[in-house]
């Protein structure tokens, strides 16, 4: 078997997208899709030609079988994806929002199969997954359960000890945490175990108590992180770190925003893929802005994630709406 370029861990969910506008309780028809921040990133990187390993657990139910088939079709390495007959697959409902607004979403993930992951599910350090070039983590996995939290930190320690690169996107989900304090302390601890941190501006302000992107970046750089990319919404991204001139990379205008969910995951795909391609951090942030801009022009979380040929196309015409790169799935 092949050593993956990237390994990630998380909860893949079945997604039901409303076919008509309005509050979710009034919607009569939904279309099925997929969701999960780590899944979105894994799919995006796979479409760009990287070998991506996914660590997770799905219920042995129809949503779980649907997700596994989707992931296999996207050529993800599923050697560490478990099918659990005891617990269900997570589910997400998403509103059809108008005029580019952030849609209402509802999660049904308590007691899911993915929440039962633990450090026992960690690949050995000398295994193919343990030797991946890059480990990508988010702040969602440690919010799911104590076992998931232990797994995320163990994976980060193992990767750093083996000289691998760790990227981290906070992906704050306050409803999954027992308290705001626990969320901030845990997410920051995991961020400071990473090499590359990708917070949104609002997330960074909450996590660091710093108001400006330079202060947010400095907070993490002073704690051992090598590179920081702060998503600035319509303004693009602020980059800082080793071997890069700190400053803003401009955002990308789009003709029309259809669905903002998944923009931040597309941004992460752009940054990670560019760094793996050997580009510098400013070029990586520019690719992140371009992919995020493409993602918001499609309804589903993964539908707008490009292949290499699509990546080379101009992402948008100038002078139109700019999108919010903080929005996540």
């Amino acid at each position: 078997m092949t050593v993956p370029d990237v390994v990630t861990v998380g909860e893949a969910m079945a997604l039901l997208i409303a076919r008509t506008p309005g509050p979710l309780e009034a919607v009569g028809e939904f279309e099925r899709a997929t969701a999960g921040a780590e899944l979105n990133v894994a799919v995006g990187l796979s479409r760009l030609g990287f070998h991506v390993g996914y660590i997770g657990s799905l219920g042995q139910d129809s949503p779980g079988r649907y997700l596994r088939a989707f992931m296999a079709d996207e050529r993800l390495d599923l050697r560490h994806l478990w099918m659990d007959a005891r617990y269900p697959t997570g589910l997400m409902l998403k509103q059809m929002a108008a005029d580019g607004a952030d849609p209402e979403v509802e999660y049904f993930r308590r007691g899911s199969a993915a929440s039962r992951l633990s450090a026992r599910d960690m690949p050995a350090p000398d295994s193919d997954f343990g030797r991946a070039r890059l480990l990508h983590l988010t702040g969602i996995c440690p919010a799911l359960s104590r076992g998931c939290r232990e797994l995320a930190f163990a994976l980060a320690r193992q990767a750093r000890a083996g000289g691998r690169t760790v990227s981290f996107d906070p992906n704050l989900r306050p409803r999954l945490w027992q308290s705001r304090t626990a969320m901030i302390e845990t997410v920051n601890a995991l961020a400071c175990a990473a090499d590359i941190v990708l917070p949104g501006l609002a997330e960074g302000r909450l996590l660091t108590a710093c108001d400006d992107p330079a202060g947010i970046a400095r907070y993490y750089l002073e704690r051992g992180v090598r590179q920081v990319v702060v998503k600035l919404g319509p303004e693009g991204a602020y980059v800082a770190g080793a071997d890069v001139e700190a400053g803003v990379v401009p955002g990308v205008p789009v003709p029309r925003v259809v669905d903002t969910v998944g923009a931040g995951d597309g941004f992460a795909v752009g940054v990670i893929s560019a760094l793996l391609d050997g580009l510098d951090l400013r070029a990586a942030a520019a690719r992140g802005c371009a992919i995020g801009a493409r993602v918001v022009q499609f309804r589903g979380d993964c539908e707008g994630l490009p292949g290499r040929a699509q990546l080379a196309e101009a992402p948008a015409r100038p002078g139109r709406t700019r999108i919010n790169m903080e929005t996540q799935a």
Side-chain angles (χ1 to χ4, degrees), residues 143-218:
L144 297 177
S145 67
R146 179 177 178 179
C148 287
R149 189 158 53 250
E150 292 172 350
L151 174 59
F153 277 94
L155 285 167
R157 288 193 298 269
Q158 177 176 284
R160 291 294 294 269
R164 319 300 178 197
T165 300
V166 180
S167 61
F168 179 73
D169 190 334
N171 281 102
L172 296 184
R173 299 290 186 273
R175 285 178 290 179
L176 296 179
W177 293 92
Q178 290 186 340
S179 72
R180 175 169 161 163
T181 298
M183 178 180 72
I184 292 173
E185 290 179 352
T186 305
V187 171
N188 273 337
L190 195 52
C192 293
D195 301 284
I196 306 158
V197 177
L198 308 168
L201 181 59
E203 290 176 330
R205 286 170 170 165
L206 177 60
L207 291 169
T208 70
C210 298
D211 187 62
D212 64 303
I216 294 167
R218 186 166 55 250

Side-chain angles (χ1 to χ4, degrees), residues 1-290:
M1 298 295 286
T2 306
V3 175
D5 297 301
V6 179
V7 163
T8 190
V9 57
E11 179 169 32
M13 293 177 291
L15 170 63
L16 296 178
I17 308 174
R19 284 186 167 173
T20 56
L24 286 169
E25 63 270 21
V27 174
E29 293 186 3
F30 294 82
E31 60 182 278
R32 184 174 63 174
T34 63
E38 302 88 357
L39 175 61
N40 296 340
V41 173
V43 169
L45 291 170
S46 180
R47 289 183 185 175
L48 292 175
F50 295 100
H51 181 182
V52 184
Y54 190 93
I55 302 171
S57 184
L58 299 169
Q60 187 62 269
D61 46 32
S62 57
R65 290 189 290 272
Y66 161 70
L67 283 163
R68 186 180 180 91
F70 169 81
M71 296 163 82
D73 286 345
E74 293 289 345
R75 302 185 306 280
L76 302 186
D77 189 329
L78 303 180
R79 283 177 280 174
H80 289 272
L81 178 69
W82 323 116
M83 303 299 290
D84 194 326
R86 299 166 297 169
Y87 303 104
T89 303
L91 174 68
M92 174 178 165
L93 302 181
K94 183 166 68 172
Q95 179 190 42
M96 177 187 283
D99 301 322
D102 292 344
E104 174 190 356
V105 296
E106 289 187 9
Y107 298 101
F108 300 88
R109 63 202 311 176
R110 186 182 300 274
S112 68
S115 72
R116 305 292 170 167
L117 290 167
S118 72
R120 295 189 302 272
D121 299 301
M122 191 170 77
D126 59 350
S127 68
D128 288 346
F129 272 44
R131 293 183 290 128
R133 293 172 61 191
L134 183 143
L135 170 69
H136 180 66
L137 300 172
T138 80
I140 300 174
C141 183
L144 297 177
S145 67
R146 179 177 178 179
C148 287
R149 189 158 53 250
E150 292 172 350
L151 174 59
F153 277 94
L155 285 167
R157 288 193 298 269
Q158 177 176 284
R160 291 294 294 269
R164 319 300 178 197
T165 300
V166 180
S167 61
F168 179 73
D169 190 334
N171 281 102
L172 296 184
R173 299 290 186 273
R175 285 178 290 179
L176 296 179
W177 293 92
Q178 290 186 340
S179 72
R180 175 169 161 163
T181 298
M183 178 180 72
I184 292 173
E185 290 179 352
T186 305
V187 171
N188 273 337
L190 195 52
C192 293
D195 301 284
I196 306 158
V197 177
L198 308 168
L201 181 59
E203 290 176 330
R205 286 170 170 165
L206 177 60
L207 291 169
T208 70
C210 298
D211 187 62
D212 64 303
I216 294 167
R218 186 166 55 250
Y219 176 94
Y220 291 113
L221 294 172
E222 289 175 348
R223 288 160 175 79
V225 176
R226 291 194 297 108
Q227 297 177 316
V228 181
V229 184
V230 183
K231 291 165 279 187
L232 303 179
E235 302 307 317
Y238 178 88
V239 300
D243 303 320
V244 64
E245 181 181 355
V248 174
V249 173
V252 175
V254 300
R256 176 173 175 258
V257 176
V258 174
D259 187 340
T260 57
V261 175
D265 303 326
F267 184 89
V269 169
V271 171
I272 293 168
S273 65
L275 293 176
L276 290 173
D277 283 343
L279 303 183
D280 65 25
L281 192 60
R282 294 186 69 87
R287 183 185 288 184
C289 290

